[in-house]
Amino acid sequence: MSEQIFFIHPAASGRSICRNCGQFIAKKMLRIGKNVPNPCDLENEGWGDITLYYHVPCMFEEFDKEKAKERKIKSPADVCGFDQLKQDEKETVLKLIHDTNIKREDNSLHQFRCLCNKISGEDSNAGKTALVSDYLKKGTSGSGFKGDVYLLMKFLLPGVVKTNYRLSNTDLVKYFSEIFGTSHKAMEEDLAQTEVWEIIRVCYEKSKTVTPLEESMVSLREMDGLLTGLSTATQPIRILKKIIKRCTSNDLMMVVRLIKHDLGINSKAKYIFDGLDPNAYEAFQISEDLKDVVERVQSKTLHSLPGIKMKTGNDSESYGASGSSDKKTLVKRQAEDVRQTTPSKKAKPDSTTDDCKP
Ligand SMILES: [Zn+2]
């Protein structure tokens, strides 16, 4: 077990200030301390750690804002003093740990990959919709999705919420061959018969200069930030190097697929939107604003979007499964549908997709 940097105890005085909400922590109120290196010790002269204090719920809120690689409380063993708490206090902390762990999973690139894998393996459109809807209702744990719905939808719809990375397959192969210390020529020749993400995955695993992470731990939010940086970078290789440090080989394959706007899930955008709400696709066609559509679904205000004709019969249930009206609207909309994926070069594009592997 690694060194404990968190401890929990009642505040000795009322003088400490919570680093999350900025309020004083009342005397005797339970608080969590986190020991961090002194930020003023710029020369690394061994000034020792300082302690940051948080209200207990605030500590867990803070974890949401931090990068995935920051130390977090994932079990009671990570918190010194847990054993001394009263039973009801233990239960409160355990619930916060449990909920935060679920949220972390629901917001992870790993679970996103697993979802894509399932959608890709599902042949029917209604089945694809149901997988999205089910995930948004139940999440990874089965007890409810605790992640960021907008981010999940944004990642599921890279061909719709389009970020232009200005990176051709040739560019990608050039940059990654440099990072991997692999033959640029060999990688480029492989492009004729193999998808670029598969080439990059294999070369990452074989690289002698960089080693893939063994466990997938990057969050969608962190990857979203890195990809946003990539889209505006004047030197993409610098961002690609940062991305690699956060990726297993399967993570990296998915990242390249995101860059190429091709998740391999063989689904039109409409069937993904339908998993959010039966009216979400039409709403997006009107507003072209995914964030607005997600917020309206969550606040049940889709009906107030100017110009929308709500489908009847399903009462716009949030994250509702696709209704029976799907077939009727399909024909009408097909022409204007945005294609979510391009047909793959190979008949079985996902023979290499991981089955929820790291
Ligand atoms: Zn607080």
Side-chain angles (χ1 to χ4, degrees), residues 148-272:
D148 183 323
V149 177
Y150 165 69
L151 258 191
L152 180 75
M153 292 302 290
K154 182 181 174 187
F155 270 74
L156 278 173
L157 297 162
V160 174
V161 188
K162 224 166 189 163
T163 307
N164 187 0
Y165 298 97
R166 295 160 293 139
L167 289 170
S168 67
N169 289 353
T170 321
D171 293 334
L172 286 168
V173 159
K174 184 181 86 185
Y175 291 132
F176 280 108
S177 68
E178 196 178 320
I179 297 170
F180 297 153
T182 315
S183 158
H184 177 200
K185 193 162 171 279
M187 281 178 85
E188 207 166 52
E189 281 171 7
D190 284 346
L191 277 177
Q193 14 182 338
T194 313
E195 300 287 4
V196 64
W197 43 81
E198 176 61 7
I199 298 172
I200 289 168
R201 181 185 71 85
V202 171
C203 291
Y204 188 24
E205 287 176 359
K206 289 183 182 166
S207 169
K208 294 200 167 60
T209 54
V210 283
T211 312
L213 290 187
E214 283 178 15
E215 189 189 348
S216 179
M217 57 207 303
V218 68
S219 67
L220 292 184
R221 192 176 305 169
E222 190 183 352
M223 192 50 74
D224 188 50
L226 287 165
L227 287 172
T228 304
L230 182 66
S231 68
T232 55
T234 46
Q235 290 177 294
I237 192 163
R238 289 178 57 184
I239 309 289
L240 291 173
K241 281 180 181 170
K242 281 189 188 174
I243 288 177
I244 284 211
K245 282 191 184 146
R246 306 292 300 133
C247 284
T248 65
S249 59
N250 284 313
D251 285 342
L252 185 60
M253 178 163 76
M254 179 53 84
V255 169
V256 176
R257 296 196 86 133
L258 285 161
I259 291 170
K260 301 309 295 183
H261 306 134
D262 186 347
L263 299 182
I265 56 177
N266 297 314
S267 173
K268 288 187 177 181
K270 176 184 171 2
Y271 305 116
I272 302 300

Side-chain angles (χ1 to χ4, degrees), residues 109-122 198 201 205 216 248-251 253-254 257 349-358:
L109 182 71
H110 178 228
Q111 291 300 336
F112 168 74
R113 287 199 284 111
C114 296
L115 176 63
C116 289
N117 205 39
K118 285 181 196 156
I119 300 173
S120 148
E122 168 63 48
E198 176 61 7
R201 181 185 71 85
E205 287 176 359
S216 179
T248 65
S249 59
N250 284 313
D251 285 342
M253 178 163 76
M254 179 53 84
R257 296 196 86 133
D350 296 299
S351 53
T352 52
T353 316
D354 58 299
D355 186 25
C356 281
K357 286 174 194 146

Side-chain angles (χ1 to χ4, degrees), residues 264-333:
I265 56 177
N266 297 314
S267 173
K268 288 187 177 181
K270 176 184 171 2
Y271 305 116
I272 302 300
F273 272 109
D274 281 354
L276 175 68
D277 185 283
N279 295 290
Y281 182 67
E282 190 187 345
F284 181 76
Q285 287 188 311
I286 294 168
S287 72
E288 294 184 359
D289 183 345
L290 180 63
K291 200 159 206 164
D292 180 66
V293 172
V294 169
E295 281 168 8
R296 283 175 184 276
V297 170
Q298 290 181 313
S299 60
K300 300 192 192 303
T301 53
L302 264 183
H303 57 88
S304 64
L305 181 72
I308 195 162
K309 289 192 196 75
M310 296 287 279
K311 285 180 201 167
T312 51
N314 41 33
D315 284 330
S316 181
E317 186 198 353
S318 288
Y319 317 140
S322 65
S324 56
S325 51
D326 264 358
K327 279 207 175 78
K328 277 175 268 168
T329 51
L330 170 64
V331 180
K332 191 178 77 186
R333 295 246 176 77

